[in-house]
Short mmCIF file of all heavy atoms in Angstrom, two decimals:
data_model
loop_
_atom_site.label_atom_id
_atom_site.label_comp_id
_atom_site.label_asym_id
_atom_site.label_seq_id
_atom_site.Cartn_x
_atom_site.Cartn_y
_atom_site.Cartn_z
N GLY D 224 22.78 9.03 -18.47
CA GLY D 224 23.36 7.74 -18.17
C GLY D 224 22.98 6.70 -19.21
O GLY D 224 21.90 6.76 -19.80
N GLU D 225 23.88 5.76 -19.43
CA GLU D 225 23.60 4.65 -20.35
C GLU D 225 22.94 3.49 -19.61
O GLU D 225 22.13 2.77 -20.18
CB GLU D 225 24.89 4.18 -21.01
CG GLU D 225 25.49 5.23 -21.92
CD GLU D 225 26.81 4.80 -22.52
OE1 GLU D 225 27.04 3.58 -22.65
OE2 GLU D 225 27.61 5.69 -22.85
N PHE D 226 23.32 3.32 -18.34
CA PHE D 226 22.73 2.25 -17.54
C PHE D 226 22.84 2.61 -16.07
O PHE D 226 23.60 3.50 -15.68
CB PHE D 226 23.40 0.90 -17.81
CG PHE D 226 24.84 0.83 -17.39
CD1 PHE D 226 25.20 0.52 -16.08
CD2 PHE D 226 25.85 1.06 -18.31
CE1 PHE D 226 26.54 0.46 -15.70
CE2 PHE D 226 27.19 0.99 -17.94
CZ PHE D 226 27.53 0.69 -16.62
N LEU D 269 19.71 -1.87 -15.34
CA LEU D 269 18.66 -1.30 -16.19
C LEU D 269 19.35 -0.48 -17.27
O LEU D 269 20.09 0.47 -16.97
CB LEU D 269 17.75 -0.40 -15.36
CG LEU D 269 16.69 0.40 -16.12
CD1 LEU D 269 15.69 -0.53 -16.80
CD2 LEU D 269 15.98 1.36 -15.18
N ARG D 270 19.17 -0.88 -18.51
CA ARG D 270 19.70 -0.11 -19.64
C ARG D 270 18.73 1.05 -19.85
O ARG D 270 17.55 0.84 -20.08
CB ARG D 270 19.79 -0.97 -20.89
CG ARG D 270 20.73 -2.13 -20.68
CD ARG D 270 21.84 -2.16 -21.72
NE ARG D 270 22.91 -3.03 -21.27
CZ ARG D 270 24.06 -2.62 -20.77
NH1 ARG D 270 24.31 -1.34 -20.67
NH2 ARG D 270 24.98 -3.47 -20.38
N LEU D 271 19.23 2.26 -19.78
CA LEU D 271 18.36 3.43 -19.78
C LEU D 271 17.72 3.69 -21.14
O LEU D 271 16.64 4.26 -21.20
CB LEU D 271 19.09 4.64 -19.23
CG LEU D 271 19.48 4.44 -17.76
CD1 LEU D 271 20.34 5.58 -17.27
CD2 LEU D 271 18.27 4.27 -16.87
N GLU D 272 18.35 3.26 -22.21
CA GLU D 272 17.71 3.38 -23.52
C GLU D 272 16.45 2.52 -23.56
O GLU D 272 15.41 2.95 -24.04
CB GLU D 272 18.67 2.95 -24.63
CG GLU D 272 18.06 3.10 -26.02
CD GLU D 272 19.06 2.69 -27.10
OE1 GLU D 272 20.19 3.18 -27.06
OE2 GLU D 272 18.68 1.87 -27.95
N ASP D 273 16.55 1.30 -23.02
CA ASP D 273 15.38 0.43 -22.94
C ASP D 273 14.33 1.04 -22.02
O ASP D 273 13.14 1.00 -22.31
CB ASP D 273 15.76 -0.96 -22.41
CG ASP D 273 16.72 -1.69 -23.34
OD1 ASP D 273 16.79 -1.32 -24.53
OD2 ASP D 273 17.39 -2.62 -22.86
N HIS D 274 14.77 1.62 -20.92
CA HIS D 274 13.85 2.23 -19.95
C HIS D 274 13.08 3.38 -20.59
O HIS D 274 11.90 3.55 -20.33
CB HIS D 274 14.61 2.71 -18.73
CG HIS D 274 13.75 3.46 -17.76
ND1 HIS D 274 12.83 2.83 -16.96
CD2 HIS D 274 13.64 4.78 -17.50
CE1 HIS D 274 12.21 3.74 -16.23
NE2 HIS D 274 12.67 4.92 -16.55
N ALA D 275 13.76 4.16 -21.43
CA ALA D 275 13.10 5.30 -22.07
C ALA D 275 11.91 4.83 -22.91
O ALA D 275 10.92 5.54 -23.04
CB ALA D 275 14.09 6.07 -22.93
N LYS D 276 12.00 3.63 -23.45
CA LYS D 276 10.92 3.09 -24.28
C LYS D 276 9.78 2.51 -23.45
O LYS D 276 8.64 2.57 -23.85
CB LYS D 276 11.47 2.02 -25.21
CG LYS D 276 12.47 2.53 -26.22
CD LYS D 276 13.07 1.39 -27.01
CE LYS D 276 14.21 1.89 -27.87
NZ LYS D 276 15.03 0.81 -28.38
N THR D 277 10.11 1.89 -22.30
CA THR D 277 9.10 1.16 -21.54
C THR D 277 8.93 1.63 -20.11
O THR D 277 8.02 1.20 -19.43
CB THR D 277 9.46 -0.35 -21.50
OG1 THR D 277 10.71 -0.48 -20.82
CG2 THR D 277 9.54 -0.94 -22.87
#
Side-chain angles (χ1 to χ4, degrees):
E225 294 177 26
F226 65 85
L269 173 64
R270 299 236 164 257
L271 296 174
E272 182 179 309
D273 297 340
H274 174 74
K276 296 174 189 166
T277 62

